[in-house]
Amino acid sequence: MLISLSAQPVLLDGLVQAEDLICFPVHGKKHQYKYLPNTGGLSVKNGTPEFSFLQYAFENENSAGGNSSITKALGGGLLHFLVEYYTPERDVDRAEKKLQKMFDNDSIQLMGPVEITKGQFVLVSSILIDGEESKELIGTGKAPVFQNSKVAFSFMMDQEKSQILMESFKMKTPDISIMFDLSFQALTSAYNGKVTVDWNMVQNSSYSNKSVDAIFFSSDTEKTFQELTQAGAITMESYGNDSLGGDMLDAAYDKLLKMMYEPVQPDSINEDDSKSWVEKTFGSRGLAGSLIGGSNVYRQRTIKTSGKTTVEINSRQFVDRHHFVTFNIGDLYKKHGNDERVFRKAALDEDLFKQREIFVNIDGDMKSEFEKMVNSVAVSMKKKHTNGDETVREVFFNTANLEDFNGPLKMIYLNKEDVDKEKWLDYDYSIHWQFKKDGDYQTDWKKSNAPIINLYAPYKLHQIDLMGDLEKLKEENVMAVVVQIEYPFFGKNKKEKLLIKPFNESNELVMNTILPSEVHEVKYTLTWVYKDGKKLSSSGTDEFGILLIDEIPEGE
Amino acid sequence: MIYQLLILMLMPICLISQSIISEGSGKYKLESIVDVEVFQQKGCAQCYYYLPTNLSLAYKDSEPEISLVKWEAEGDAEAGAILHFLIKWDLSKQQQTNLEHKISTATEEKAVLMGPAAIEYIEPDRFFFGEDDLVKLLNENLNSKPPIATTPGAKMAFSFRFKGDQVDQLLKELKEIKKSDAHINLKYFYQVDNVKRDLNLKLKLKDLFRYI
């Protein structure tokens, strides 16, 4: 007899339904019963179910705009819950009283739950369990063998599933049920008897005429036992009041099978036999078919040829039984739909996960400027955060990497406790130009909150027209007019000069110069040189781009 | 007493361990709708076990445990529906009390209803039977096969997902459910006088889906 339980086993034969509990008498203990757990549900802590369903959304930067300004955000759902099976104390009390009444015995006690030998849960949900893989991975699992122990479930799901589940939660019976499959062992009813095999008679039967290699199936062994029984080769006795039947017959059959046959592994059967075996065992559907109603395969054992063998079968035996505790997760939304600890919808706008992107856009004309004047340019950005941290970022262009430039570059900073959203957008930036010939120029730090820094050349073309009557200059014997301009250029003082000769047939009467963007005027000096060597000069400042070369100052 | 192994030896090994006998058995009707058969326990003339019966939709807080959620097609997402329900077999406490009274009245002896007769289930290859298209629809879209309850009150949960055209088909079938002969069938066996007998528990789908 297999005894694997250290606790007192229960007797299967004594099953009693007492109020809401299924109870069994305890073997060897008069008036003691045990019960099967009868209730399953969500675990509850401080009056609140240990359950949460979060639906979350966050911005979809890649949404397909289409014809509507309302587009689909990203997001999904997160479901977490704990479940357990148990037996309410009230049910135990009622069941105990019922047992006492049924058996008219006040000393009957319910001692506790039947010992569960193996537990398994099955999650039943078409929303959460989708596909064979899901069924295997999360649809089933081990459950605790002690009642009141918790099993945790957690599911991450996409938007569609979360929406369907939310709608399902609004129903009285949402699409989540959990079944606890609880295995327990119990003792069968007692029987007392013996089986005797007369080997002399067996030797004379058809059983002994079979080849030692022959394959037998359950139906064959049953037929043989029937023949041997009818021939008197097998006899069975039962003692006392036990009748011959039920468990005792089962046990007798089992003993005979072990004495006279040995099980055969399917892969040890030769090909011809194998085909027959498959068909007999699984039917015409073959191995893919159901195992229900299947058969076992045997070979004859080498047996005695004379004498008798008697086997006692006077015992109880343990059998495995299953008990199910199933529950639907229930009408949670109606009861807790307004409790944000249970159901919550959240637009994820958490500052921690925000970042600011400052794009640096370079003007198309800048490419030509790089060829003419600019060696490189660096754009620096610094952000002073509320928590005291400072983020410094820089992007850099030169002639080489400008060739690959195909869009704005960006500088990023995070939100570091920058609670004031408007202030968070503020930053400082500076641009550092390196010129091919004329040194470098770095702008002061400028404040901005714009998302784009457009990069323009820090200088501008300035044209100065030299206007005047050249005939008049000739009449006054002016041989030449020297035009000199002077202006600041990124830390330097830059000078340019132009010579006009009135007696020449053609003269350049325009000065093209480049001024820093913030410089709007130039200093100039006009010098008239006469045929006799006399020189007269005039100086001033021009902001309009016009110098009159025939307005000769009065001579001394 | 010596017995010979007779035809009983041909029973497949089954380990139902509950001795009920046909002597004193009887059939009763409870509340005009529930047929129940009872058997005496061997060695106890007052003790009766009832044969599992009354396969029905489960209730929780007086509400039937069944739901149907359906949604329309939108954008790339096709229409769909989720059907979920729980069933069980048992006799209510009231029914058990009534049954005891009926047995006592019939036998003119005190009767104690001990509980359900021990049964074992036969693994089903499908749950839904009948000629209607609904049967095929349900068998094909059952998400997972629930374990079969062998104790009273233990619920069996079913969940189905329907997609696209199946939703319209389901709704059409549900509209005509009153004419349907479709049913759930659970197959069990039990032993009386050490002889195996089959037991079929049926639940008509029209009795199930009238709550949707």
Side-chain angles (χ1 to χ4, degrees), chain A residues 13 15-17 19-20 22 102-103 124 126 129 135 164 171-173 175 177 188-189 222 226 229 236 238 244-247 249-250 292 319 321 323-324 326 328, chain B residues 1 3 5 7-8 10 14-19 49-50 60 63 65-68 71 82 84 93 96 113-114 120 123 143 147-148 151-152 154-155 159-160 194:
Chain A
D13 197 27
L15 181 151
V16 180
Q17 185 175 3
E19 296 287 338
D20 293 316
I22 300 293
M102 284 172 83
F103 295 104
V124 181
S126 293
I129 309 292
K135 282 177 196 170
I164 297 169
M171 310 289 286
K172 285 172 182 163
T173 308
D175 182 45
S177 289
T188 60
S189 55
E222 288 162 4
Q226 186 184 15
T229 303
M236 181 175 169
S238 68
L244 180 60
D247 299 328
L249 281 175
D250 295 337
I292 302 305
V319 290
R321 283 290 180 269
H323 172 62
F324 301 109
T326 305
N328 184 266
Chain B
M1 206 167 21
Y3 298 84
L5 285 169
I7 197 76
L8 291 173
L10 300 179
C14 54
L15 295 169
I16 287 177
S17 180
Q18 187 184 64
S19 300
Y49 284 95
Y50 66 88
K60 187 179 181 183
E63 295 285 352
E65 292 191 282
I66 185 167
S67 67
L68 175 66
W71 60 95
I82 302 280
H84 193 104
K93 287 178 210 167
Q96 290 179 55
L113 194 64
M114 304 296 286
E120 294 220 37
E123 188 75 36
N143 188 262
I148 310 301
T151 48
K155 297 173 183 175
S159 179
F160 309 79
N194 291 316

Coordinates of all heavy atoms in Angstrom, one line a residue, chain A residues 13 15-17 19-20 22 102-103 124 126 129 135 164 171-173 175 177 188-189 222 226 229 236 238 244-247 249-250 292 319 321 323-324 326 328, chain B residues 1 3 5 7-8 10 14-19 49-50 60 63 65-68 71 82 84 93 96 113-114 120 123 143 147-148 151-152 154-155 159-160 194:
Chain A
D13 N -14.7 7.0 0.9 CA -16.0 6.4 1.0 C -17.0 7.1 1.9 O -18.2 7.0 1.7 CB -15.9 4.9 1.5 CG -17.1 4.1 1.2 OD1 -17.8 4.5 0.2 OD2 -17.4 3.2 1.9
L15 N -17.6 10.3 2.1 CA -17.9 11.7 1.6 C -19.2 12.2 2.1 O -20.2 11.4 2.0 CB -17.8 11.8 0.1 CG -18.1 13.1 -0.6 CD1 -17.4 13.1 -1.9 CD2 -19.6 13.3 -0.8
V16 N -19.2 13.4 2.7 CA -20.5 14.0 3.1 C -20.5 15.4 2.7 O -19.6 16.1 2.8 CB -20.6 13.9 4.7 CG1 -21.9 14.5 5.1 CG2 -20.5 12.5 5.2
Q17 N -21.7 15.8 2.1 CA -21.9 17.2 1.8 C -22.6 17.9 2.9 O -23.8 17.6 3.2 CB -22.7 17.3 0.5 CG -22.8 18.8 0.0 CD -23.5 18.8 -1.3 OE1 -24.0 17.8 -1.9 NE2 -23.6 20.0 -1.9
E19 N -23.7 21.3 4.4 CA -23.9 22.7 4.0 C -23.1 23.1 2.8 O -23.3 22.4 1.8 CB -23.6 23.7 5.2 CG -24.5 23.5 6.4 CD -25.9 24.0 6.2 OE1 -26.1 24.9 5.3 OE2 -26.8 23.6 6.9
D20 N -22.1 24.0 2.9 CA -21.4 24.4 1.7 C -20.0 23.7 1.6 O -19.2 24.0 0.8 CB -21.1 25.9 1.7 CG -22.4 26.7 1.6 OD1 -23.2 26.3 0.7 OD2 -22.6 27.6 2.3
I22 N -17.6 20.0 1.3 CA -17.5 18.6 1.1 C -16.6 18.1 2.1 O -15.4 18.5 2.2 CB -16.9 18.3 -0.3 CG1 -17.8 18.9 -1.4 CG2 -16.7 16.8 -0.5 CD1 -19.2 18.2 -1.6
M102 N -26.4 15.6 11.3 CA -26.6 14.4 10.4 C -26.4 13.1 11.1 O -27.1 12.2 11.0 CB -25.7 14.5 9.2 CG -26.1 15.5 8.2 SD -24.8 15.7 6.9 CE -25.2 14.4 5.9
F103 N -25.3 13.1 11.9 CA -24.9 11.9 12.6 C -25.4 11.8 14.0 O -25.1 10.9 14.8 CB -23.4 11.6 12.5 CG -23.0 11.5 11.1 CD1 -22.3 12.5 10.4 CD2 -23.2 10.3 10.4 CE1 -21.9 12.3 9.1 CE2 -22.8 10.1 9.1 CZ -22.1 11.2 8.4
V124 N -8.6 31.3 -17.1 CA -9.6 31.2 -18.3 C -9.9 32.7 -18.7 O -10.6 33.4 -18.0 CB -10.9 30.5 -17.9 CG1 -11.8 30.4 -19.1 CG2 -10.5 29.1 -17.4
S126 N -10.1 34.9 -22.7 CA -9.7 35.0 -24.1 C -9.0 36.3 -24.4 O -8.3 36.4 -25.4 CB -11.0 35.0 -24.9 OG -11.6 33.7 -24.9
I129 N -5.3 35.4 -22.5 CA -4.6 34.3 -23.0 C -5.0 34.2 -24.5 O -6.1 33.8 -24.9 CB -5.1 33.0 -22.3 CG1 -5.0 33.1 -20.8 CG2 -4.3 31.8 -22.8 CD1 -3.6 33.2 -20.3
K135 N -1.1 30.2 -23.6 CA -1.8 29.2 -22.7 C -0.8 28.4 -21.9 O -1.0 28.2 -20.7 CB -2.6 28.2 -23.6 CG -3.9 28.7 -24.1 CD -4.6 27.7 -25.0 CE -5.7 28.4 -25.8 NZ -6.2 27.6 -26.8
I164 N -10.6 46.4 -24.5 CA -11.6 45.4 -24.4 C -11.7 44.9 -23.0 O -12.8 44.7 -22.5 CB -11.1 44.2 -25.3 CG1 -11.1 44.6 -26.8 CG2 -12.1 43.0 -25.1 CD1 -10.5 43.6 -27.7
M171 N -18.7 44.6 -17.0 CA -19.7 43.6 -17.0 C -19.7 43.0 -15.6 O -18.7 43.1 -14.8 CB -19.4 42.5 -18.0 CG -19.2 43.1 -19.4 SD -20.6 43.7 -20.2 CE -21.5 42.3 -20.6
K172 N -20.8 42.3 -15.3 CA -20.9 41.6 -14.0 C -19.9 40.4 -13.9 O -19.5 40.0 -12.9 CB -22.3 41.2 -13.7 CG -23.1 42.3 -13.3 CD -24.6 42.0 -13.2 CE -25.4 43.2 -12.9 NZ -26.8 43.0 -13.1
T173 N -19.7 39.8 -15.1 CA -18.8 38.6 -15.2 C -17.7 38.9 -16.2 O -17.8 38.6 -17.4 CB -19.6 37.4 -15.6 OG1 -20.8 37.2 -14.7 CG2 -18.8 36.1 -15.5
D175 N -14.1 38.8 -18.3 CA -13.5 37.7 -19.0 C -12.2 37.2 -18.3 O -11.2 37.1 -18.9 CB -13.2 38.0 -20.4 CG -12.6 36.9 -21.2 OD1 -13.1 35.8 -21.0 OD2 -11.6 37.1 -21.9
S177 N -11.5 34.3 -15.3 CA -11.9 33.3 -14.3 C -10.6 32.5 -13.9 O -9.8 32.3 -14.8 CB -13.0 32.4 -14.7 OG -14.2 33.1 -14.8
T188 N -9.3 4.5 -0.2 CA -10.5 3.8 -0.7 C -11.1 3.0 0.5 O -10.5 2.8 1.5 CB -10.1 2.8 -1.8 OG1 -9.2 1.9 -1.3 CG2 -9.5 3.6 -3.0
S189 N -12.2 2.4 0.2 CA -12.8 1.6 1.3 C -12.0 0.3 1.5 O -11.3 -0.2 0.5 CB -14.3 1.2 0.8 OG -14.3 0.6 -0.4
E222 N -7.6 -9.1 -20.3 CA -8.9 -9.3 -19.7 C -9.6 -10.6 -20.2 O -10.2 -11.3 -19.4 CB -9.8 -8.1 -20.0 CG -9.4 -6.8 -19.3 CD -9.9 -5.5 -20.0 OE1 -10.7 -5.7 -20.9 OE2 -9.6 -4.4 -19.5
Q226 N -10.6 -13.8 -17.9 CA -12.0 -14.4 -17.9 C -12.0 -15.9 -18.2 O -12.6 -16.7 -17.5 CB -12.8 -13.6 -19.0 CG -14.3 -14.0 -19.0 CD -15.0 -13.3 -20.1 OE1 -14.4 -12.8 -21.1 NE2 -16.3 -13.4 -20.0
T229 N -10.5 -17.8 -15.3 CA -11.5 -17.8 -14.2 C -12.6 -18.8 -14.4 O -12.9 -19.6 -13.5 CB -12.1 -16.4 -14.0 OG1 -11.1 -15.4 -13.8 CG2 -13.0 -16.3 -12.8
M236 N -10.8 -16.3 -6.5 CA -10.7 -15.1 -5.6 C -11.6 -15.3 -4.4 O -12.7 -15.8 -4.6 CB -11.0 -13.9 -6.4 CG -10.9 -12.6 -5.5 SD -11.2 -11.2 -6.5 CE -11.3 -10.0 -5.1
S238 N -13.1 -13.5 -0.8 CA -13.2 -12.4 0.1 C -13.6 -12.8 1.4 O -14.3 -13.8 1.6 CB -14.2 -11.4 -0.5 OG -15.5 -11.9 -0.4
L244 N -17.4 -9.2 -3.1 CA -16.4 -9.2 -4.2 C -16.8 -8.2 -5.3 O -17.7 -8.5 -6.0 CB -16.3 -10.6 -4.8 CG -15.3 -10.8 -5.9 CD1 -13.9 -10.5 -5.4 CD2 -15.3 -12.2 -6.4
G245 N -16.1 -7.2 -5.3 CA -16.5 -6.2 -6.3 C -15.7 -4.9 -6.2 O -14.9 -4.8 -5.3
G246 N -16.0 -4.0 -7.0 CA -15.4 -2.7 -6.9 C -13.9 -2.7 -6.7 O -13.2 -3.2 -7.5
D247 N -13.5 -2.1 -5.6 CA -12.0 -1.9 -5.4 C -11.3 -3.2 -5.3 O -10.1 -3.3 -5.8 CB -11.8 -1.0 -4.2 CG -12.4 0.3 -4.3 OD1 -12.5 0.8 -5.4 OD2 -12.9 0.8 -3.3
L249 N -12.0 -6.0 -6.8 CA -11.8 -6.6 -8.1 C -10.7 -5.8 -8.9 O -9.9 -6.4 -9.6 CB -13.1 -6.5 -8.9 CG -14.1 -7.5 -8.6 CD1 -15.4 -7.2 -9.4 CD2 -13.6 -8.9 -8.9
D250 N -10.7 -4.5 -8.7 CA -9.6 -3.7 -9.3 C -8.3 -4.2 -8.8 O -7.3 -4.3 -9.6 CB -9.8 -2.2 -9.0 CG -11.1 -1.7 -9.6 OD1 -11.6 -2.3 -10.6 OD2 -11.6 -0.7 -9.1
I292 N -7.9 8.8 -24.5 CA -9.1 8.3 -23.8 C -9.5 7.0 -24.3 O -9.6 6.7 -25.5 CB -10.2 9.3 -23.8 CG1 -9.8 10.6 -23.3 CG2 -11.4 8.8 -23.0 CD1 -9.2 10.6 -21.9
V319 N -5.9 6.8 -3.4 CA -6.2 7.2 -4.8 C -6.1 8.8 -4.8 O -6.3 9.5 -3.8 CB -7.6 6.8 -5.2 CG1 -7.7 5.3 -5.4 CG2 -8.7 7.2 -4.2
R321 N -7.5 12.3 -6.1 CA -8.7 12.9 -6.5 C -8.5 14.4 -6.8 O -7.5 15.0 -6.3 CB -9.8 12.8 -5.5 CG -10.4 11.4 -5.4 CD -11.3 11.2 -6.6 NE -11.9 9.8 -6.7 CZ -11.3 8.8 -7.2 NH1 -10.1 8.9 -7.8 NH2 -11.9 7.6 -7.2
H323 N -10.1 18.3 -6.9 CA -11.2 19.2 -6.5 C -10.9 20.6 -7.1 O -9.8 21.0 -7.2 CB -11.2 19.3 -5.0 CG -12.2 20.3 -4.4 ND1 -13.5 20.2 -4.7 CD2 -12.0 21.5 -3.7 CE1 -14.1 21.3 -4.1 NE2 -13.2 22.0 -3.5
F324 N -12.0 21.2 -7.6 CA -11.8 22.5 -8.3 C -12.4 23.6 -7.5 O -13.6 23.5 -7.0 CB -12.4 22.5 -9.7 CG -11.8 21.4 -10.6 CD1 -12.6 20.3 -10.9 CD2 -10.5 21.5 -11.0 CE1 -12.0 19.3 -11.7 CE2 -10.0 20.5 -11.8 CZ -10.7 19.4 -12.1
T326 N -13.2 27.3 -8.4 CA -13.3 28.2 -9.5 C -14.0 29.5 -9.2 O -15.0 29.5 -8.5 CB -14.0 27.6 -10.7 OG1 -13.3 26.3 -11.0 CG2 -13.9 28.4 -12.0
N328 N -14.9 33.7 -10.7 CA -14.8 34.8 -11.7 C -14.3 36.0 -10.9 O -14.6 36.2 -9.7 CB -16.1 35.1 -12.4 CG -15.9 36.1 -13.4 OD1 -16.1 37.3 -13.2 ND2 -15.5 35.7 -14.6
Chain B
M1 N -16.6 -17.2 2.1 CA -17.4 -17.2 0.8 C -16.4 -17.1 -0.4 O -15.5 -16.2 -0.4 CB -18.3 -15.9 0.9 CG -19.5 -16.1 0.1 SD -20.7 -14.8 0.5 CE -19.8 -13.5 1.2
Y3 N -15.9 -16.5 -4.4 CA -16.6 -16.0 -5.6 C -15.6 -16.3 -6.7 O -14.4 -16.3 -6.6 CB -16.8 -14.5 -5.5 CG -17.8 -14.1 -4.5 CD1 -17.4 -13.9 -3.2 CD2 -19.2 -13.9 -4.8 CE1 -18.2 -13.5 -2.2 CE2 -20.0 -13.6 -3.8 CZ -19.6 -13.4 -2.5 OH -20.5 -13.0 -1.5
L5 N -14.1 -14.9 -10.3 CA -14.0 -13.7 -11.1 C -14.9 -13.8 -12.3 O -14.7 -14.7 -13.1 CB -12.6 -13.4 -11.5 CG -11.7 -12.9 -10.4 CD1 -10.2 -13.0 -10.9 CD2 -12.0 -11.6 -10.0
I7 N -17.6 -11.7 -15.1 CA -17.5 -10.7 -16.2 C -17.1 -9.3 -15.6 O -16.5 -8.5 -16.3 CB -18.8 -10.5 -17.0 CG1 -18.6 -9.8 -18.3 CG2 -19.9 -9.8 -16.1 CD1 -18.0 -10.7 -19.3
L8 N -17.3 -9.1 -14.3 CA -16.9 -7.8 -13.7 C -15.4 -7.6 -13.9 O -15.0 -6.4 -13.9 CB -17.3 -7.9 -12.2 CG -18.7 -7.8 -11.9 CD1 -18.9 -8.1 -10.4 CD2 -19.4 -6.5 -12.3
L10 N -13.8 -7.6 -16.3 CA -13.5 -6.9 -17.6 C -13.6 -5.4 -17.5 O -13.3 -4.6 -18.4 CB -14.5 -7.4 -18.7 CG -14.4 -8.9 -18.9 CD1 -15.4 -9.3 -20.0 CD2 -13.0 -9.2 -19.3
C14 N -11.0 1.3 -12.3 CA -11.5 2.6 -11.9 C -11.5 2.6 -10.4 O -11.9 1.6 -9.8 CB -12.8 2.9 -12.5 SG -14.0 1.6 -12.2
L15 N -11.2 3.7 -9.8 CA -11.0 3.6 -8.4 C -12.1 4.5 -7.7 O -11.8 5.2 -6.8 CB -9.6 4.1 -8.0 CG -8.6 3.1 -8.5 CD1 -7.2 3.7 -8.4 CD2 -8.6 1.8 -7.7
I16 N -13.3 4.4 -8.1 CA -14.4 5.0 -7.4 C -14.5 4.3 -6.1 O -14.7 3.1 -6.1 CB -15.7 5.0 -8.2 CG1 -15.5 6.0 -9.4 CG2 -16.9 5.3 -7.3 CD1 -16.7 6.0 -10.3
S17 N -14.5 5.0 -5.0 CA -14.6 4.3 -3.8 C -15.8 4.8 -3.0 O -15.7 5.7 -2.2 CB -13.3 4.5 -2.9 OG -13.4 3.8 -1.7
Q18 N -16.9 4.4 -3.3 CA -18.1 4.7 -2.6 C -19.1 3.6 -2.9 O -19.3 3.3 -4.0 CB -18.6 6.0 -3.1 CG -19.8 6.6 -2.3 CD -20.3 7.8 -2.9 OE1 -20.9 7.8 -4.0 NE2 -20.2 9.0 -2.3
S19 N -19.5 3.0 -1.8 CA -20.4 1.8 -2.0 C -21.8 2.2 -2.0 O -22.4 2.5 -0.9 CB -20.1 0.8 -1.0 OG -18.8 0.4 -1.1
Y49 N -27.2 8.9 -1.3 CA -26.3 9.8 -2.1 C -27.1 10.1 -3.4 O -27.8 9.2 -3.9 CB -25.0 9.1 -2.5 CG -24.0 9.0 -1.4 CD1 -23.9 7.9 -0.5 CD2 -23.2 10.1 -1.1 CE1 -23.0 7.9 0.5 CE2 -22.3 10.1 -0.1 CZ -22.2 9.0 0.7 OH -21.3 9.0 1.7
Y50 N -27.0 11.3 -3.8 CA -27.7 11.7 -5.0 C -26.8 11.7 -6.2 O -25.6 12.0 -6.1 CB -28.4 13.1 -4.9 CG -27.5 14.3 -4.7 CD1 -27.0 14.9 -5.8 CD2 -27.1 14.7 -3.5 CE1 -26.2 16.1 -5.7 CE2 -26.3 15.8 -3.3 CZ -25.8 16.5 -4.4 OH -25.0 17.6 -4.3
K60 N -23.6 34.3 -8.9 CA -22.8 34.9 -7.8 C -23.6 36.1 -7.3 O -23.9 37.0 -8.1 CB -21.4 35.3 -8.3 CG -20.5 35.8 -7.2 CD -19.1 36.2 -7.9 CE -18.2 36.7 -6.8 NZ -16.9 37.1 -7.4
E63 N -26.6 36.9 -9.2 CA -26.5 37.3 -10.6 C -25.9 36.2 -11.4 O -24.9 35.5 -11.0 CB -25.5 38.5 -10.7 CG -26.0 39.8 -10.1 CD -27.1 40.5 -10.9 OE1 -27.4 40.1 -12.0 OE2 -27.7 41.4 -10.3
E65 N -23.6 34.2 -13.9 CA -22.2 34.5 -14.3 C -22.0 34.3 -15.8 O -21.5 33.2 -16.2 CB -21.3 33.7 -13.4 CG -21.3 34.1 -12.0 CD -20.2 33.5 -11.1 OE1 -20.3 32.3 -10.8 OE2 -19.2 34.2 -10.9
I66 N -22.5 35.2 -16.5 CA -22.3 35.1 -18.0 C -22.2 36.6 -18.5 O -22.8 37.5 -18.0 CB -23.5 34.4 -18.6 CG1 -23.2 34.2 -20.1 CG2 -24.8 35.1 -18.4 CD1 -24.2 33.2 -20.8
S67 N -21.3 36.7 -19.5 CA -21.2 38.1 -20.1 C -20.8 37.9 -21.6 O -20.1 37.0 -22.0 CB -20.1 38.9 -19.4 OG -18.8 38.3 -19.6
L68 N -21.2 38.9 -22.3 CA -20.8 39.0 -23.7 C -20.4 40.4 -24.0 O -21.2 41.4 -23.8 CB -22.0 38.6 -24.7 CG -21.8 38.8 -26.2 CD1 -20.7 37.8 -26.7 CD2 -23.0 38.6 -26.9
W71 N -17.5 44.4 -29.9 CA -17.1 45.7 -30.4 C -17.1 45.7 -31.9 O -17.0 44.7 -32.6 CB -15.7 46.1 -29.8 CG -14.6 45.1 -30.2 CD1 -13.8 45.2 -31.2 CD2 -14.3 43.9 -29.5 NE1 -12.9 44.2 -31.2 CE2 -13.2 43.4 -30.1 CE3 -14.8 43.3 -28.3 CZ2 -12.6 42.2 -29.7 CZ3 -14.2 42.1 -27.9 CH2 -13.1 41.6 -28.6
I82 N -16.3 38.7 -27.0 CA -15.8 37.8 -26.0 C -17.0 37.3 -25.2 O -17.8 38.1 -24.7 CB -14.8 38.5 -25.0 CG1 -13.6 39.1 -25.7 CG2 -14.4 37.5 -23.9 CD1 -12.5 38.2 -26.0
H84 N -18.1 34.8 -22.0 CA -17.5 34.2 -20.8 C -18.7 33.7 -19.9 O -19.6 34.5 -19.7 CB -16.7 35.2 -20.1 CG -15.8 34.6 -19.0 ND1 -14.4 34.4 -19.2 CD2 -16.0 34.1 -17.8 CE1 -13.9 33.9 -18.1 NE2 -14.9 33.7 -17.3
K93 N -29.2 24.0 -1.0 CA -29.5 23.5 0.3 C -31.0 23.2 0.4 O -31.4 22.2 1.0 CB -29.1 24.5 1.4 CG -27.6 24.6 1.6 CD -27.3 25.7 2.6 CE -25.9 26.3 2.3 NZ -25.7 27.5 3.0
Q96 N -31.8 20.1 -1.4 CA -31.3 18.9 -0.6 C -32.3 18.6 0.5 O -32.6 17.4 0.8 CB -29.9 19.2 0.0 CG -28.8 19.2 -1.1 CD -27.5 19.5 -0.5 OE1 -27.0 18.8 0.5 NE2 -26.8 20.5 -0.9
L113 N -29.5 12.7 3.6 CA -28.8 12.9 2.3 C -27.4 13.2 2.6 O -27.0 14.2 3.2 CB -29.5 14.0 1.5 CG -29.1 14.1 0.0 CD1 -29.6 12.9 -0.7 CD2 -29.7 15.4 -0.6
M114 N -26.5 12.3 2.2 CA -25.1 12.4 2.5 C -24.3 13.3 1.6 O -23.3 13.9 2.0 CB -24.4 11.0 2.5 CG -25.1 10.0 3.3 SD -25.0 10.4 5.1 CE -23.3 10.0 5.4
E120 N -16.6 9.9 -11.8 CA -15.4 10.3 -12.5 C -15.8 10.7 -13.9 O -16.7 10.3 -14.5 CB -14.4 9.0 -12.6 CG -13.9 8.6 -11.3 CD -12.5 8.2 -11.3 OE1 -11.7 8.8 -12.0 OE2 -12.2 7.2 -10.6
E123 N -12.9 12.3 -20.2 CA -12.3 13.5 -20.9 C -13.1 13.7 -22.2 O -13.2 12.9 -23.1 CB -10.9 13.2 -21.2 CG -10.1 14.4 -21.7 CD -9.8 15.4 -20.6 OE1 -9.5 15.0 -19.5 OE2 -9.8 16.6 -21.0
N143 N -11.6 29.0 -26.0 CA -10.2 29.4 -25.8 C -9.4 28.3 -25.1 O -8.3 28.1 -25.5 CB -10.2 30.7 -25.0 CG -8.8 31.3 -24.9 OD1 -8.1 31.1 -23.9 ND2 -8.3 31.9 -25.9
P147 N -11.2 22.1 -16.8 CA -11.3 20.8 -16.1 C -12.7 20.6 -15.8 O -13.5 21.5 -15.6 CB -10.4 21.1 -14.9 CG -9.6 22.3 -15.1 CD -10.4 23.1 -16.1
I148 N -13.0 19.3 -15.7 CA -14.4 18.9 -15.5 C -14.7 18.7 -14.0 O -13.9 17.9 -13.3 CB -14.8 17.6 -16.2 CG1 -14.3 17.7 -17.7 CG2 -16.2 17.3 -16.1 CD1 -15.0 18.8 -18.5
T151 N -17.1 17.6 -8.1 CA -17.7 17.9 -6.8 C -18.8 18.9 -7.0 O -18.7 19.8 -7.9 CB -16.7 18.4 -5.8 OG1 -15.9 19.4 -6.4 CG2 -15.7 17.3 -5.4
P152 N -19.8 18.9 -6.2 CA -21.0 19.8 -6.3 C -20.5 21.3 -6.1 O -19.7 21.5 -5.2 CB -22.0 19.3 -5.3 CG -21.1 18.6 -4.3 CD -20.0 18.0 -5.0
A154 N -18.6 23.1 -7.8 CA -17.4 23.5 -8.4 C -17.7 24.0 -9.8 O -18.3 23.3 -10.6 CB -16.4 22.3 -8.5
K155 N -17.2 25.2 -10.0 CA -17.6 25.9 -11.3 C -16.6 25.5 -12.4 O -15.5 25.3 -12.2 CB -17.7 27.4 -11.1 CG -18.7 27.8 -10.1 CD -18.6 29.3 -9.9 CE -19.6 29.8 -8.8 NZ -19.4 31.2 -8.4
S159 N -14.4 30.4 -21.9 CA -14.2 31.7 -22.5 C -14.0 31.5 -24.0 O -13.3 30.6 -24.4 CB -13.0 32.4 -21.9 OG -12.7 33.7 -22.5
F160 N -14.7 32.4 -24.8 CA -14.6 32.3 -26.2 C -14.3 33.6 -26.8 O -14.7 34.7 -26.3 CB -16.0 31.9 -26.8 CG -16.6 30.7 -26.2 CD1 -17.2 30.8 -24.9 CD2 -16.6 29.5 -26.8 CE1 -17.8 29.7 -24.3 CE2 -17.2 28.4 -26.2 CZ -17.8 28.5 -25.0
N194 N -21.2 -2.1 -7.6 CA -19.9 -2.4 -8.3 C -20.0 -2.5 -9.8 O -19.1 -3.1 -10.4 CB -19.3 -3.6 -7.7 CG -18.9 -3.4 -6.2 OD1 -18.3 -2.4 -5.9 ND2 -19.2 -4.4 -5.4

